[in-house]
């Protein structure tokens, strides 16, 4: 039984052969096997001309320069790796006087396999967080994706009415882990499933009642289709993504959260090397309680917040279960 299972895994993970002979040079950090995987994806999209193959490889966002030359029975691919390790400092000051300082270190080409790896954290007088994440979109140079996220987030949440009068507040402390498995049906079409485990506790703020702590499990199914060309300073084209989140168990006996999310990103090139990047988000949430409803943008739909709302603050007229 185990022998057949191993053979099956080797079959589904084994890469297909390249249709053309390629000579690859200049990839000092990026593994040659990973470059061949990228070329196979380009062949699936019929990117056969030198210009098309150059742009297709640039879309991986790990090369600063790609040159393709066709010989008689061979294609020469000359690459120049981008510097992929990026320190990202984080400093935020909002209108309420809250300050946040942090540092994140991200490698977009971890171990030369196009893997995204990052670690970091941020601290302020009202909140702190840390996260470690790993995402490999070509596991063993195949079309499978694995992703792991582990972190902790502490935040002070203030609910205010339209007159900015505080009507409720609490400190929320969340520890989470996320494990994902995905498959790229084509280089442009991807499906993924995730299991998320959360441990949420609360502390009192400003003498308001403390919400009940809970643990919960969430299953997420998502997919996206994209047709983009990377232009160094923006992505030209579009990406359409949809996801369904189902919270199937939580210890505080509140109804499980059901969330449907749709996201559309589109980029346009403008004259004089200018660009317009737009994003459209739509979500529909049912279940849960007041904490989930008011925090859906921050916790689930990964929104960046709304202009005019202080960090950690949410507008509402009524606070009720």
């Amino acid at each position: 039984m185990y022998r057949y299972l191993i053979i099956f895994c080797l079959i589904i993970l084994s890469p297909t052969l390249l249709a053309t002979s390629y000579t690859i040079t200049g990839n000092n950090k990026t593994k040659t096997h990973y470059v061949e995987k990228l070329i196979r994806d380009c062949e699936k999209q019929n990117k056969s001309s030198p210009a098309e193959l150059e742009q297709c490889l640039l879309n991986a966002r790990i090369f600063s320069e790609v040159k393709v030359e066709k010989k008689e029975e061979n294609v020469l691919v000359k690459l120049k790796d981008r510097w992929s390790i990026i320190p990202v400092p984080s400093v935020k000051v909002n209108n309420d006087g809250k300050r946040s300082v942090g540092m994140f270190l991200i490698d977009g080409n971890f171990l030369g396999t196009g893997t995204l790896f990052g670690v970091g954290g941020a601290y302020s007088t009202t909140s702190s967080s840390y996260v470690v994440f790993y995402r490999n979109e070509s596991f063993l140079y195949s079309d499978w994706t694995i992703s792991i996220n582990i972190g902790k987030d502490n935040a002070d949440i203030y609910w205010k009415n339209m007159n900015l009068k505080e009507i409720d507040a609490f400190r929320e402390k969340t520890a989470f882990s996320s494990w994902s498995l995905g498959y790229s049906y084509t280089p442009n079409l991807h499906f993924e499933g995730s299991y998320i485990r959360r441990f949420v506790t609360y502390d009192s703020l400003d003498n308001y009642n403390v919400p009940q702590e809970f643990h919960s499990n969430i299953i997420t199914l998502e997919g996206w289709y994209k047709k983009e060309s990377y232009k160094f300073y923006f992505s030209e084209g579009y990406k359409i993504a949809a996801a369904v989140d189902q919270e199937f168990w939580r210890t505080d006996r509140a109804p499980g959260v059901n969330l449907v999310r749709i996201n559309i990103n589109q980029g346009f090139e403008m004259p004089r090397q200018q660009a317009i990047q737009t994003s459209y988000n739509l979500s529909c949430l049912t279940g849960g309680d007041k904490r989930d409803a008011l925090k859906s943008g921050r916790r689930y739909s990964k929104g960046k917040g709304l202009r005019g709302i202080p960090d950690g603050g949410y507008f509402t007229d009524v606070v009720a279960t």
Side-chain angles (χ1 to χ4, degrees):
M1 172 97 180
Y2 293 107
R3 181 189 306 172
Y4 295 113
L5 180 60
I6 294 174
I7 293 175
F8 175 74
C9 292
L10 290 175
I11 291 174
I12 65 173
L13 293 176
S14 61
T16 56
L17 297 177
L18 292 170
T20 307
S21 176
Y22 292 88
T23 300
I24 301 168
T25 62
N27 51 315
N28 297 322
K29 178 179 180 178
T30 307
K31 303 291 186 183
T32 299
H33 287 308
Y34 181 63
V35 178
E36 292 173 345
K37 164 65 169 63
L38 295 175
I39 294 176
R40 286 195 298 271
D41 290 342
C42 295
E43 288 182 342
K44 292 177 183 178
Q45 302 174 72
N46 297 318
K47 307 292 186 181
S48 56
S49 71
E52 290 176 330
L53 183 55
E54 288 174 0
Q55 181 60 62
C56 187
L57 292 175
L58 286 173
N59 289 344
R61 306 189 182 197
I62 58 175
F63 306 116
S64 60
E65 186 176 335
V66 178
K67 296 291 184 182
V68 177
E69 299 178 11
K70 278 195 171 183
K71 303 297 183 180
E72 294 180 355
E73 296 183 356
N74 184 59
V75 177
L76 178 61
V77 180
K78 300 179 181 179
L79 305 171
K80 185 176 181 181
D81 290 319
R82 293 180 63 186
W83 181 260
S84 61
I85 303 176
I86 303 174
V88 182
S90 173
V91 179
K92 294 193 302 181
V93 180
N94 62 26
N95 294 333
D96 287 354
K98 302 173 187 174
R99 295 176 175 85
S100 174
V101 179
M103 176 64 71
F104 298 85
L105 189 64
I106 301 173
D107 189 349
N109 191 13
F110 185 60
L111 300 179
T113 60
T115 299
L116 180 65
F117 176 79
V119 60
Y123 174 79
S124 75
T125 56
T126 60
S127 65
S128 62
S129 63
Y130 71 84
V131 65
V132 178
F133 55 89
Y134 173 91
R135 182 174 179 84
N136 187 339
E137 296 189 350
S138 57
F139 181 60
L140 297 180
Y141 308 113
S142 70
D143 295 325
W144 291 89
T145 295
I146 60 171
S147 179
I148 302 172
N149 294 271
I150 299 174
K152 184 177 182 180
D153 182 27
N154 298 338
D156 289 358
I157 308 302
Y158 298 91
W159 296 347
K160 303 178 181 182
N161 61 20
M162 297 304 294
N163 295 321
L164 293 182
K165 180 182 177 181
E166 182 181 306
I167 58 178
D168 203 348
F170 56 77
R171 175 171 293 143
E172 183 179 77
K173 299 181 290 186
T174 304
F176 64 89
S177 62
S178 172
W179 311 79
S180 304
L181 178 66
Y183 181 76
S184 294
Y185 187 74
T186 71
N188 295 327
L189 183 62
H190 180 82
F191 299 98
E192 191 163 319
S194 304
Y195 167 74
I196 304 169
R197 177 72 166 153
R198 294 192 300 143
F199 301 84
V200 186
T201 59
Y202 298 92
D203 289 336
S204 176
L205 277 182
D206 299 341
N207 297 319
Y208 290 105
N209 294 331
V210 180
Q212 181 182 352
E213 66 181 49
F214 69 94
H215 305 166
S216 73
N217 296 324
I218 300 173
I219 292 293
T220 298
L221 300 176
E222 58 185 318
W224 50 254
Y225 179 83
K226 67 176 182 179
K227 196 170 184 180
E228 297 177 319
S229 295
Y230 181 56
K231 302 293 185 180
F232 290 105
Y233 57 96
F234 86 110
S235 292
E236 184 178 29
Y238 63 89
K239 179 179 179 180
I240 302 173
V244 176
D245 301 329
Q246 174 64 61
E247 189 174 41
F248 62 90
W249 177 81
R250 57 190 290 169
T251 58
D252 62 355
R253 297 184 179 180
V257 169
N258 303 281
L259 181 67
V260 177
R261 298 178 279 125
I262 299 176
N263 172 258
I264 302 175
N265 292 314
Q266 193 164 14
F268 306 90
E269 188 170 15
M270 303 294 289
R272 299 184 179 181
Q273 292 188 330
Q274 301 297 312
I276 296 178
Q277 200 83 36
T278 60
S279 180
Y280 310 91
N281 295 278
L282 175 66
S283 63
C284 178
L285 181 144
T286 58
D289 62 11
K290 63 181 183 180
R291 295 163 293 178
D292 303 293
L294 292 175
K295 295 194 58 180
S296 62
R298 181 173 183 265
R299 178 185 295 156
Y300 297 114
S301 59
K302 303 177 183 179
K304 300 182 181 301
L306 301 175
R307 188 178 299 277
I309 298 182
D311 185 27
Y314 300 87
F315 286 151
T316 182
D317 289 324
V318 178
V319 176
T321 301

